[in-house]
PDB file of all heavy atoms in Angstrom:
ATOM      1  N   MET A   8     -30.663  -1.172   2.663  1.00 64.00           N
ATOM      2  CA  MET A   8     -29.498  -1.997   3.010  1.00 64.00           C
ATOM      3  C   MET A   8     -28.321  -1.899   1.933  1.00 64.00           C
ATOM      4  O   MET A   8     -27.121  -1.758   2.361  1.00 64.00           O
ATOM      5  CB  MET A   8     -30.003  -3.479   2.902  1.00 64.00           C
ATOM      6  CG  MET A   8     -28.846  -4.569   3.148  1.00 64.00           C
ATOM      7  SD  MET A   8     -28.023  -4.414   4.644  1.00 64.00           S
ATOM      8  CE  MET A   8     -27.975  -6.110   5.194  1.00 64.00           C
ATOM      9  N   ILE A   9     -28.674  -1.765   0.667  1.00 74.00           N
ATOM     10  CA  ILE A   9     -27.602  -1.704  -0.370  1.00 74.00           C
ATOM     11  C   ILE A   9     -26.849  -0.314  -0.197  1.00 74.00           C
ATOM     12  O   ILE A   9     -25.664  -0.274  -0.153  1.00 74.00           O
ATOM     13  CB  ILE A   9     -28.245  -1.913  -1.765  1.00 74.00           C
ATOM     14  CG1 ILE A   9     -28.707  -3.347  -1.818  1.00 74.00           C
ATOM     15  CG2 ILE A   9     -27.213  -1.544  -2.772  1.00 74.00           C
ATOM     16  CD1 ILE A   9     -29.444  -3.647  -3.052  1.00 74.00           C
ATOM     17  N   PRO A  10     -27.650   0.782  -0.112  1.00 82.00           N
ATOM     18  CA  PRO A  10     -26.966   2.109   0.049  1.00 82.00           C
ATOM     19  C   PRO A  10     -25.965   2.041   1.308  1.00 82.00           C
ATOM     20  O   PRO A  10     -24.922   2.708   1.254  1.00 82.00           O
ATOM     21  CB  PRO A  10     -28.046   3.099   0.181  1.00 82.00           C
ATOM     22  CG  PRO A  10     -29.102   2.430  -0.567  1.00 82.00           C
ATOM     23  CD  PRO A  10     -29.013   0.976  -0.284  1.00 82.00           C
ATOM     24  N   ARG A  11     -26.525   1.499   2.422  1.00 85.00           N
ATOM     25  CA  ARG A  11     -25.667   1.428   3.714  1.00 85.00           C
ATOM     26  C   ARG A  11     -24.445   0.621   3.450  1.00 85.00           C
ATOM     27  O   ARG A  11     -23.357   0.903   3.910  1.00 85.00           O
ATOM     28  CB  ARG A  11     -26.540   0.929   4.792  1.00 85.00           C
ATOM     29  CG  ARG A  11     -27.589   1.916   5.139  1.00 85.00           C
ATOM     30  CD  ARG A  11     -28.232   1.516   6.453  1.00 85.00           C
ATOM     31  NE  ARG A  11     -29.040   0.256   6.553  1.00 85.00           N
ATOM     32  CZ  ARG A  11     -30.174   0.070   6.277  1.00 85.00           C
ATOM     33  NH1 ARG A  11     -30.895   1.116   5.911  1.00 85.00           N
ATOM     34  NH2 ARG A  11     -30.668  -1.159   6.184  1.00 85.00           N
ATOM     35  N   THR A  12     -24.608  -0.543   2.672  1.00 85.00           N
ATOM     36  CA  THR A  12     -23.384  -1.359   2.467  1.00 85.00           C
ATOM     37  C   THR A  12     -22.351  -0.652   1.640  1.00 85.00           C
ATOM     38  O   THR A  12     -21.204  -0.741   1.901  1.00 85.00           O
ATOM     39  CB  THR A  12     -23.824  -2.712   1.739  1.00 85.00           C
ATOM     40  OG1 THR A  12     -24.652  -3.345   2.621  1.00 85.00           O
ATOM     41  CG2 THR A  12     -22.645  -3.518   1.364  1.00 85.00           C
ATOM     42  N   LEU A  13     -22.803   0.107   0.552  1.00 87.00           N
ATOM     43  CA  LEU A  13     -21.955   0.668  -0.359  1.00 87.00           C
ATOM     44  C   LEU A  13     -21.250   1.867   0.433  1.00 87.00           C
ATOM     45  O   LEU A  13     -20.003   2.201   0.250  1.00 87.00           O
ATOM     46  CB  LEU A  13     -22.690   1.288  -1.459  1.00 87.00           C
ATOM     47  CG  LEU A  13     -23.197   0.331  -2.448  1.00 87.00           C
ATOM     48  CD1 LEU A  13     -24.112   0.941  -3.612  1.00 87.00           C
ATOM     49  CD2 LEU A  13     -22.110  -0.534  -3.171  1.00 87.00           C
ATOM     50  N   ALA A  14     -22.051   2.581   1.299  1.00 90.00           N
ATOM     51  CA  ALA A  14     -21.374   3.641   2.092  1.00 90.00           C
ATOM     52  C   ALA A  14     -20.424   3.186   2.925  1.00 90.00           C
ATOM     53  O   ALA A  14     -19.285   3.784   3.196  1.00 90.00           O
ATOM     54  CB  ALA A  14     -22.536   4.343   3.001  1.00 90.00           C
ATOM     55  N   MET A  15     -20.598   2.050   3.638  1.00 90.00           N
ATOM     56  CA  MET A  15     -19.529   1.376   4.463  1.00 90.00           C
ATOM     57  C   MET A  15     -18.310   1.030   3.762  1.00 90.00           C
ATOM     58  O   MET A  15     -17.267   1.258   4.234  1.00 90.00           O
ATOM     59  CB  MET A  15     -20.211   0.059   5.242  1.00 90.00           C
ATOM     60  CG  MET A  15     -19.333  -0.499   6.235  1.00 90.00           C
ATOM     61  SD  MET A  15     -19.431   0.294   7.809  1.00 90.00           S
ATOM     62  CE  MET A  15     -18.619  -0.792   8.846  1.00 90.00           C
ATOM     63  N   LEU A 123     -18.150  -7.935   2.506  1.00 81.00           N
ATOM     64  CA  LEU A 123     -19.549  -7.388   2.394  1.00 81.00           C
ATOM     65  C   LEU A 123     -20.012  -7.480   0.853  1.00 81.00           C
ATOM     66  O   LEU A 123     -21.144  -7.551   0.631  1.00 81.00           O
ATOM     67  CB  LEU A 123     -19.591  -6.046   2.925  1.00 81.00           C
ATOM     68  CG  LEU A 123     -19.361  -5.727   4.437  1.00 81.00           C
ATOM     69  CD1 LEU A 123     -19.371  -4.364   4.671  1.00 81.00           C
ATOM     70  CD2 LEU A 123     -20.449  -6.558   5.146  1.00 81.00           C
ATOM     71  N   THR A 126     -21.544 -10.895   0.465  1.00 74.00           N
ATOM     72  CA  THR A 126     -22.588 -11.309   1.412  1.00 74.00           C
ATOM     73  C   THR A 126     -23.784 -10.465   1.392  1.00 74.00           C
ATOM     74  O   THR A 126     -24.856 -10.871   1.591  1.00 74.00           O
ATOM     75  CB  THR A 126     -22.092 -11.519   2.819  1.00 74.00           C
ATOM     76  OG1 THR A 126     -21.603 -10.273   3.310  1.00 74.00           O
ATOM     77  CG2 THR A 126     -21.087 -12.509   2.959  1.00 74.00           C
ATOM     78  N   ASN A 127     -23.557  -9.196   1.131  1.00 76.00           N
ATOM     79  CA  ASN A 127     -24.677  -8.150   1.120  1.00 76.00           C
ATOM     80  C   ASN A 127     -25.154  -7.601  -0.197  1.00 76.00           C
ATOM     81  O   ASN A 127     -26.019  -6.875  -0.195  1.00 76.00           O
ATOM     82  CB  ASN A 127     -24.238  -7.007   2.028  1.00 76.00           C
ATOM     83  CG  ASN A 127     -24.112  -7.279   3.594  1.00 76.00           C
ATOM     84  OD1 ASN A 127     -23.817  -8.493   3.867  1.00 76.00           O
ATOM     85  ND2 ASN A 127     -24.476  -6.449   4.309  1.00 76.00           N
ATOM     86  N   LEU A 128     -24.394  -8.008  -1.256  1.00 74.00           N
ATOM     87  CA  LEU A 128     -24.746  -7.476  -2.598  1.00 74.00           C
ATOM     88  C   LEU A 128     -24.975  -8.681  -3.598  1.00 74.00           C
ATOM     89  O   LEU A 128     -24.099  -9.681  -3.492  1.00 74.00           O
ATOM     90  CB  LEU A 128     -23.640  -6.525  -3.151  1.00 74.00           C
ATOM     91  CG  LEU A 128     -23.380  -5.237  -2.238  1.00 74.00           C
ATOM     92  CD1 LEU A 128     -22.273  -4.560  -2.966  1.00 74.00           C
ATOM     93  CD2 LEU A 128     -24.587  -4.430  -2.188  1.00 74.00           C
ATOM     94  N   ARG A 132     -24.879  -6.108  -8.411  1.00 73.00           N
ATOM     95  CA  ARG A 132     -24.498  -4.960  -7.593  1.00 73.00           C
ATOM     96  C   ARG A 132     -23.087  -5.060  -7.122  1.00 73.00           C
ATOM     97  O   ARG A 132     -22.561  -4.096  -6.665  1.00 73.00           O
ATOM     98  CB  ARG A 132     -25.434  -4.801  -6.463  1.00 73.00           C
ATOM     99  CG  ARG A 132     -26.835  -4.312  -6.893  1.00 73.00           C
ATOM    100  CD  ARG A 132     -27.765  -4.010  -5.765  1.00 73.00           C
ATOM    101  NE  ARG A 132     -29.089  -3.323  -6.168  1.00 73.00           N
ATOM    102  CZ  ARG A 132     -30.092  -4.113  -6.409  1.00 73.00           C
ATOM    103  NH1 ARG A 132     -30.043  -5.383  -6.220  1.00 73.00           N
ATOM    104  NH2 ARG A 132     -31.254  -3.539  -6.757  1.00 73.00           N
ATOM    105  N   LEU A 181     -23.085   2.917  10.988  1.00 92.00           N
ATOM    106  CA  LEU A 181     -23.485   2.083   9.716  1.00 92.00           C
ATOM    107  C   LEU A 181     -23.597   0.577  10.113  1.00 92.00           C
ATOM    108  O   LEU A 181     -24.350  -0.129   9.715  1.00 92.00           O
ATOM    109  CB  LEU A 181     -22.646   2.435   8.513  1.00 92.00           C
ATOM    110  CG  LEU A 181     -22.918   3.717   7.828  1.00 92.00           C
ATOM    111  CD1 LEU A 181     -21.880   3.872   6.711  1.00 92.00           C
ATOM    112  CD2 LEU A 181     -24.356   3.587   7.077  1.00 92.00           C
ATOM    113  N   THR A 184     -26.549  -1.113  11.471  1.00 84.00           N
ATOM    114  CA  THR A 184     -27.740  -1.098  10.632  1.00 84.00           C
ATOM    115  C   THR A 184     -27.505  -2.222   9.491  1.00 84.00           C
ATOM    116  O   THR A 184     -28.473  -2.409   8.774  1.00 84.00           O
ATOM    117  CB  THR A 184     -27.971   0.255   9.865  1.00 84.00           C
ATOM    118  OG1 THR A 184     -26.875   0.469   8.959  1.00 84.00           O
ATOM    119  CG2 THR A 184     -28.024   1.301  10.840  1.00 84.00           C
ATOM    120  N   LEU A 185     -26.406  -2.850   9.471  1.00 80.00           N
ATOM    121  CA  LEU A 185     -26.003  -3.838   8.453  1.00 80.00           C
ATOM    122  C   LEU A 185     -26.420  -5.186   8.853  1.00 80.00           C
ATOM    123  O   LEU A 185     -26.214  -5.587  10.046  1.00 80.00           O
ATOM    124  CB  LEU A 185     -24.560  -3.796   7.974  1.00 80.00           C
ATOM    125  CG  LEU A 185     -24.147  -2.458   7.320  1.00 80.00           C
ATOM    126  CD1 LEU A 185     -22.686  -2.545   6.903  1.00 80.00           C
ATOM    127  CD2 LEU A 185     -24.903  -2.301   5.916  1.00 80.00           C
ATOM    128  N   ASP A 186     -26.769  -6.135   7.941  1.00 68.00           N
ATOM    129  CA  ASP A 186     -26.991  -7.482   8.183  1.00 68.00           C
ATOM    130  C   ASP A 186     -25.677  -8.204   7.999  1.00 68.00           C
ATOM    131  O   ASP A 186     -25.238  -8.378   6.883  1.00 68.00           O
ATOM    132  CB  ASP A 186     -28.033  -8.094   7.265  1.00 68.00           C
ATOM    133  CG  ASP A 186     -28.285  -9.565   7.459  1.00 68.00           C
ATOM    134  OD1 ASP A 186     -27.902 -10.111   8.530  1.00 68.00           O
ATOM    135  OD2 ASP A 186     -28.953 -10.152   6.490  1.00 68.00           O
ATOM    136  N   THR A 187     -25.088  -8.679   9.065  1.00 64.00           N
ATOM    137  CA  THR A 187     -23.834  -9.402   8.952  1.00 64.00           C
ATOM    138  C   THR A 187     -23.949 -10.871   9.438  1.00 64.00           C
ATOM    139  O   THR A 187     -22.949 -11.480   9.786  1.00 64.00           O
ATOM    140  CB  THR A 187     -22.664  -8.774   9.718  1.00 64.00           C
ATOM    141  OG1 THR A 187     -23.158  -8.517  11.072  1.00 64.00           O
ATOM    142  CG2 THR A 187     -22.395  -7.351   9.153  1.00 64.00           C
ATOM    143  N   THR A 188     -25.180 -11.362   9.642  1.00 59.00           N
ATOM    144  CA  THR A 188     -25.345 -12.595  10.235  1.00 59.00           C
ATOM    145  C   THR A 188     -24.888 -13.881   9.292  1.00 59.00           C
ATOM    146  O   THR A 188     -24.542 -14.849   9.820  1.00 59.00           O
ATOM    147  CB  THR A 188     -26.878 -12.904  10.453  1.00 59.00           C
ATOM    148  OG1 THR A 188     -27.601 -12.696   9.301  1.00 59.00           O
ATOM    149  CG2 THR A 188     -27.366 -11.878  11.556  1.00 59.00           C
TER     150      THR A 188
END
Side-chain angles (χ1 to χ4, degrees):
M8 175 62 132
I9 293 170
R11 292 193 294 270
T12 298
L13 293 175
M15 187 77 171
L123 293 175
T126 60
N127 288 32
L128 301 176
R132 291 187 174 92
L181 281 171
T184 68
L185 295 179
D186 177 15
T187 56
T188 56

